[in-house]
Coordinates of all heavy atoms in Angstrom, one line a residue:
G617 N 95.1 15.1 -5.9 CA 94.2 14.3 -6.9 C 94.8 14.2 -8.2 O 94.8 13.0 -8.7
Y618 N 95.3 15.2 -8.8 CA 96.0 15.0 -10.1 C 97.2 14.1 -10.1 O 97.5 13.4 -11.0 CB 96.3 16.4 -10.7 CG 95.1 17.1 -11.4 CD1 94.3 18.0 -10.7 CD2 94.8 16.8 -12.7 CE1 93.2 18.5 -11.3 CE2 93.7 17.4 -13.3 CZ 92.9 18.3 -12.6 OH 91.8 18.9 -13.2
A619 N 97.9 14.2 -9.0 CA 99.1 13.4 -8.9 C 98.8 11.9 -8.8 O 99.4 11.0 -9.4 CB 100.0 13.8 -7.7
E620 N 97.7 11.6 -8.0 CA 97.2 10.2 -7.9 C 96.7 9.7 -9.3 O 96.9 8.5 -9.7 CB 96.2 10.1 -6.9 CG 96.7 10.3 -5.5 CD 95.6 10.2 -4.4 OE1 94.4 10.1 -4.9 OE2 95.9 10.3 -3.2
V621 N 95.9 10.6 -10.0 CA 95.5 10.2 -11.3 C 96.6 9.9 -12.3 O 96.6 8.9 -13.0 CB 94.5 11.3 -11.9 CG1 94.2 11.0 -13.4 CG2 93.2 11.4 -11.1
M622 N 97.6 10.7 -12.2 CA 98.7 10.5 -13.1 C 99.5 9.3 -12.8 O 100.1 8.7 -13.6 CB 99.6 11.8 -13.1 CG 99.0 13.0 -13.7 SD 100.0 14.5 -13.4 CE 101.5 14.1 -14.3
R623 N 99.5 8.9 -11.5 CA 100.2 7.7 -11.1 C 99.4 6.5 -11.4 O 100.0 5.4 -11.8 CB 100.4 7.8 -9.6 CG 101.2 6.6 -9.0 CD 101.1 6.6 -7.5 NE 99.7 6.4 -7.1 CZ 99.3 6.4 -5.8 NH1 100.1 6.8 -4.9 NH2 98.1 6.3 -5.5
D624 N 98.1 6.5 -11.2 CA 97.3 5.3 -11.3 C 96.7 5.0 -12.7 O 96.4 3.8 -13.0 CB 96.2 5.3 -10.3 CG 96.7 5.4 -8.8 OD1 97.8 5.0 -8.6 OD2 95.9 5.9 -7.9
I625 N 96.5 6.1 -13.4 CA 95.8 5.9 -14.7 C 96.8 6.1 -15.9 O 97.4 7.2 -16.0 CB 94.6 6.8 -14.9 CG1 93.6 6.6 -13.8 CG2 94.0 6.7 -16.3 CD1 92.5 7.5 -13.8
P626 N 97.1 5.1 -16.7 CA 97.9 5.2 -17.8 C 97.5 6.2 -18.8 O 96.3 6.4 -19.0 CB 98.0 3.8 -18.5 CG 97.6 2.9 -17.4 CD 96.6 3.7 -16.6
G627 N 98.4 7.1 -19.3 CA 98.0 8.1 -20.3 C 97.5 9.4 -19.7 O 97.3 10.4 -20.5
E628 N 97.4 9.5 -18.4 CA 97.0 10.8 -17.8 C 98.2 11.7 -17.4 O 98.0 12.8 -16.9 CB 96.2 10.5 -16.4 CG 94.8 10.0 -16.7 CD 94.0 10.9 -17.5 OE1 94.1 12.2 -17.3 OE2 93.2 10.5 -18.4
N629 N 99.4 11.2 -17.7 CA 100.6 12.1 -17.4 C 100.8 13.0 -18.6 O 101.6 12.9 -19.4 CB 101.7 11.2 -17.3 CG 103.0 12.0 -16.8 OD1 102.9 13.2 -16.4 ND2 104.1 11.3 -16.7
T630 N 99.8 14.0 -18.7 CA 99.7 14.9 -19.8 C 100.3 16.3 -19.4 O 100.3 16.6 -18.2 CB 98.3 15.1 -20.3 OG1 97.5 15.6 -19.2 CG2 97.7 13.7 -20.7
P631 N 100.7 17.0 -20.4 CA 101.2 18.4 -20.1 C 100.1 19.3 -19.4 O 100.4 20.1 -18.5 CB 101.5 19.0 -21.4 CG 101.9 17.9 -22.3 CD 100.9 16.7 -21.8
E632 N 98.8 19.0 -19.7 CA 97.7 19.8 -19.1 C 97.6 19.6 -17.6 O 97.5 20.5 -16.7 CB 96.4 19.5 -19.7 CG 96.2 20.0 -21.2 CD 97.0 19.1 -22.2 OE1 97.5 18.0 -21.8 OE2 97.1 19.5 -23.3
N633 N 97.8 18.2 -17.2 CA 97.6 17.9 -15.8 C 98.9 18.3 -15.0 O 98.7 18.8 -13.8 CB 97.5 16.4 -15.7 CG 96.2 15.8 -16.1 OD1 95.2 16.6 -16.2 ND2 96.1 14.6 -16.4
V634 N 100.0 18.3 -15.7 CA 101.2 18.8 -15.0 C 101.1 20.3 -14.8 O 101.5 20.8 -13.7 CB 102.5 18.5 -15.9 CG1 103.7 19.1 -15.3 CG2 102.7 17.0 -15.9
Q635 N 100.6 21.0 -15.8 CA 100.4 22.5 -15.7 C 99.4 22.8 -14.5 O 99.7 23.8 -13.8 CB 99.9 23.0 -17.0 CG 99.8 24.5 -16.9 CD 101.2 25.2 -16.8 OE1 102.1 24.8 -17.4 NE2 101.3 26.2 -15.9
I636 N 98.4 22.0 -14.3 CA 97.4 22.2 -13.2 C 98.2 22.1 -11.9 O 98.1 22.9 -11.0 CB 96.3 21.3 -13.3 CG1 95.4 21.6 -14.5 CG2 95.4 21.4 -12.0 CD1 94.2 20.7 -14.7
I637 N 99.1 21.1 -11.7 CA 99.8 20.9 -10.5 C 100.8 22.1 -10.3 O 100.9 22.6 -9.2 CB 100.6 19.6 -10.6 CG1 99.6 18.4 -10.6 CG2 101.5 19.5 -9.4 CD1 100.3 17.0 -10.7
I638 N 101.4 22.6 -11.4 CA 102.3 23.7 -11.3 C 101.6 24.9 -10.9 O 102.0 25.7 -10.0 CB 103.0 23.9 -12.7 CG1 103.9 22.8 -13.0 CG2 103.8 25.3 -12.7 CD1 104.6 22.8 -14.3
D639 N 100.3 25.1 -11.5 CA 99.5 26.3 -11.2 C 99.2 26.3 -9.7 O 99.2 27.4 -9.0 CB 98.3 26.4 -12.0 CG 98.6 26.7 -13.5 OD1 99.8 27.2 -13.8 OD2 97.8 26.5 -14.3
E640 N 98.7 25.2 -9.2 CA 98.3 25.1 -7.8 C 99.5 25.3 -6.9 O 99.4 25.9 -5.8 CB 97.6 23.8 -7.5 CG 96.3 23.6 -8.2 CD 95.3 24.7 -8.0 OE1 95.2 25.2 -6.8 OE2 94.6 25.2 -8.9
T641 N 100.7 24.8 -7.3 CA 101.9 25.0 -6.5 C 102.2 26.4 -6.5 O 102.6 27.0 -5.4 CB 103.1 24.2 -7.1 OG1 102.7 22.8 -7.1 CG2 104.3 24.3 -6.2
E642 N 102.1 27.1 -7.5 CA 102.3 28.6 -7.5 C 101.3 29.3 -6.6 O 101.7 30.3 -6.0 CB 102.2 29.2 -9.0 CG 103.4 28.6 -9.8 CD 103.3 29.2 -11.2 OE1 102.2 29.8 -11.6 OE2 104.2 29.0 -12.1
R643 N 100.1 28.8 -6.6 CA 99.1 29.4 -5.7 C 99.6 29.3 -4.3 O 99.4 30.2 -3.5 CB 97.7 28.8 -6.0 CG 96.6 29.5 -5.2 CD 95.3 28.8 -5.5 NE 94.9 28.9 -6.9 CZ 94.3 29.9 -7.5 NH1 94.1 31.0 -6.8 NH2 94.0 29.8 -8.7
L644 N 99.9 28.1 -3.9 CA 100.4 27.8 -2.5 C 101.6 28.7 -2.2 O 101.6 29.4 -1.1 CB 100.8 26.4 -2.4 CG 99.8 25.4 -2.2 CD1 100.4 24.0 -2.2 CD2 99.0 25.6 -0.9
T645 N 102.5 28.9 -3.2 CA 103.7 29.8 -2.9 C 103.3 31.2 -2.8 O 103.8 32.0 -1.9 CB 104.7 29.6 -4.1 OG1 105.1 28.3 -4.3 CG2 105.9 30.5 -3.9
S646 N 102.3 31.7 -3.6 CA 101.8 33.0 -3.5 C 101.1 33.3 -2.2 O 101.3 34.3 -1.5 CB 100.8 33.3 -4.6 OG 100.3 34.6 -4.5
L647 N 100.4 32.3 -1.7 CA 99.7 32.5 -0.4 C 100.7 32.6 0.8 O 100.6 33.5 1.6 CB 98.7 31.2 -0.2 CG 98.1 31.2 1.3 CD1 97.2 32.4 1.4 CD2 97.3 29.9 1.4
V648 N 101.6 31.7 0.8 CA 102.7 31.7 1.8 C 103.5 33.0 1.8 O 103.8 33.7 2.8 CB 103.7 30.5 1.7 CG1 104.9 30.6 2.7 CG2 102.9 29.2 2.0
N649 N 103.8 33.5 0.5 CA 104.6 34.8 0.4 C 103.8 36.0 0.9 O 104.3 36.9 1.5 CB 105.0 34.9 -1.0 CG 106.1 34.0 -1.5 OD1 106.8 33.5 -0.6 ND2 106.2 33.8 -2.8
D650 N 102.5 35.9 0.6 CA 101.6 37.0 1.1 C 101.5 37.1 2.6 O 101.6 38.1 3.2 CB 100.2 36.9 0.5 CG 100.1 37.5 -0.9 OD1 101.2 38.1 -1.4 OD2 99.1 37.5 -1.6
V651 N 101.4 36.0 3.2 CA 101.4 35.9 4.6 C 102.7 36.4 5.2 O 102.6 37.2 6.2 CB 101.0 34.5 5.2 CG1 101.2 34.4 6.7 CG2 99.6 34.1 4.7
L652 N 103.8 36.0 4.7 CA 105.1 36.5 5.1 C 105.3 37.9 4.9 O 105.8 38.7 5.7 CB 106.2 35.6 4.4 CG 106.3 34.1 4.9 CD1 107.4 33.4 4.0 CD2 106.5 34.0 6.4
D653 N 104.8 38.4 3.7 CA 105.0 39.8 3.4 C 104.2 40.7 4.3 O 104.7 41.8 4.8 CB 104.6 40.1 2.0 CG 105.6 39.6 1.0 OD1 106.8 39.4 1.3 OD2 105.3 39.5 -0.3

């Protein structure tokens, strides 16, 4: 959702939106690591 907003709406490519994407990516990484561990 945030990636589409940043692509389609000018001015939404903000550090806050990028940080949200980074945080959710870390959450995915944490989930996969826990399952593997």
Side-chain angles (χ1 to χ4, degrees):
Y618 276 92
E620 290 178 358
V621 169
M622 293 169 63
R623 181 193 65 188
D624 298 336
I625 300 177
E628 289 297 323
N629 191 4
T630 62
E632 291 78 8
N633 290 342
V634 173
Q635 186 62 46
I636 290 175
I637 293 177
I638 293 174
D639 290 344
E640 296 302 322
T641 302
E642 290 179 351
R643 186 182 300 279
L644 282 175
T645 302
S646 178
L647 174 63
V648 173
N649 288 339
D650 276 357
V651 173
L652 291 176
D653 285 343

